[in-house]
Amino acid sequence: MRTLRTSVLVFSALLSGACAGISIPTPSGAGTGSGTTSTTSASVATDIVKHTNEARGRNGLPPLSANSKLMEAARIHAQQMAKYQRDEHTINGAQYPTLVSRLQAVGYDYSNAAENIAWNQRDAQTAVNGWMNSTGHRANILNPNLTEIGAAMARSAKGEPYWIQVFGTPR
């Protein structure tokens, strides 16, 4: 059974600046089922962005621009969700437990930010379709005040995919 997390975390918080000197984990053991991304992680992220922008286009909105810092924030949280096998916006005990902490870690200075997460969807199109069929997730995708996106998927040790979109508006 495929499920989609129905809660949505939306932030309109302000950051005073990026935290310097925070080490960002890098993928290791890719494709081993150890909570890391696979060698096709870039194509998965591209697919999520493509399907999200198609949904925005069908609703008369401009496409979101892919942002490398948001891609990194998405990768971090996808790996954390896979490692802890939890599809949650906040994972206590993780290195970067909250969206704010992940955005600070990658140095993304924003005025608005939001994220969508999903678990065990078979592919990027299915994940985006699920988000579009959920009121809160759809609101994030179709928010005209959000202009940039990052996306990722990581597999747990069981092979289950954890999906994420991170949205932002730079300051």
Side-chain angles (χ1 to χ4, degrees):
M1 171 185 255
R2 301 196 189 302
T3 62
L4 181 67
R5 179 96 173 149
T6 57
S7 68
V8 176
L9 182 64
V10 178
F11 285 102
S12 292
L14 301 175
L15 283 179
S16 60
C19 294
I22 295 176
S23 64
I24 307 290
T26 55
S28 62
T32 64
S34 60
T36 60
T37 54
S38 72
T39 56
T40 61
S41 61
S43 65
V44 168
T46 299
D47 286 347
I48 294 169
V49 172
K50 178 183 119 189
H51 297 306
T52 299
N53 280 333
E54 288 170 351
R56 285 176 63 90
R58 286 190 300 272
N59 287 275
L61 293 168
L64 298 165
S65 299
N67 178 283
S68 62
K69 290 180 180 182
L70 292 178
M71 289 290 187
E72 181 66 7
R75 184 195 63 76
I76 288 168
H77 197 50
Q79 289 182 340
Q80 291 180 154
M81 289 190 297
K83 176 182 176 181
Y84 290 93
Q85 296 181 21
R86 292 171 45 196
D87 63 327
E88 298 176 7
H89 295 283
T90 299
I91 300 179
N92 293 326
Q95 184 173 6
Y96 304 104
T98 65
L99 175 58
V100 170
S101 67
R102 293 184 288 278
L103 295 176
Q104 287 175 329
V106 300
Y108 187 76
D109 191 23
Y110 64 95
S111 58
N112 291 303
E115 68 182 11
N116 288 343
I117 59 174
W119 167 73
N120 220 19
Q121 304 298 317
R122 77 171 185 267
D123 57 32
Q125 181 68 70
T126 305
V128 173
N129 287 347
W131 287 321
M132 286 300 291
N133 288 320
S134 165
T135 304
H137 295 103
R138 179 183 179 90
N140 284 342
I141 291 171
L142 300 181
N143 185 336
N145 297 316
L146 295 169
T147 60
E148 297 181 333
I149 187 172
M153 183 274 289
R155 293 190 181 275
S156 70
K158 295 184 209 175
E160 297 170 327
Y162 288 79
W163 303 86
I164 184 167
Q165 298 175 301
V166 180
F167 305 95
T169 305
R171 195 183 304 273

